Amino acid sequence: MSAAAHPLDLLAALFEGEGSAEYLGEAVTQAGHMLQAGALAEAAGAPAHLVAAALLHDIGHFHGTVTGRDLMEGGVDNRHSHTGADWLARWFGPEVTEPVRLHVAAKRYLCAAEPGYFDLLSEASVHTLRVQGGPMTPEQVRAFEALAGAADAVAVRRWDERAKDPEADTPDFGHFRPLLAGLLRAEPRPGGAAAAGPS
């Protein structure tokens, strides 16, 4: 696929290609998990930018062994929240990318600030929590709460944790294309080899 390909075609190809891979030991594929998260946000009546953030939150897990799931399984934080947000920022504004960037921090926050949240985590999510630094310290909690995008990131995180049902009736990527199209920047920002996916 050429570097000039439409961003939604690039995303669709990732969902259909690498997205079909298993998702860190969960019962759903990577794409299935992300599509479910987007569907949960949509069902909750979330604004378009949050539906998009929920749909795209794990895009940084895609693209091979360097930044992909192999590192997480091996106990190394692949910083997928940051790589995914940075990659998406060439096409989407911060209302979409910042909840993506902060969704891992939101898990660490909720595990520290909300009694019982840790008990909701799947086995795979407990593993990645350890890799990602564990629950926040009280100082980190206060710093997170002061961030402008904290509330949106927490919302995405809650949908993220629920989006692991292998029996869920989940829409395909095409269902979300009109919503994503409405959020695209008028002029893409420059940023590396767009066709390669997050790296």
Side-chain angles (χ1 to χ4, degrees), residues 23 28-37 57-58 160-161 163-164:
Y23 173 57
V28 293
T29 65
Q30 291 188 96
H33 166 66
M34 293 165 68
L35 291 164
Q36 276 189 45
H57 73 278
D58 270 351
D160 179 357
E161 213 57 59
K164 300 173 182 180

Side-chain angles (χ1 to χ4, degrees), residues 8 24-25 28 41-42 54-55 71 85 94 114 144 192:
L8 298 188
L24 299 172
V28 293
E42 188 175 59
L55 174 70
L71 282 175
E114 186 172 293
F144 179 82

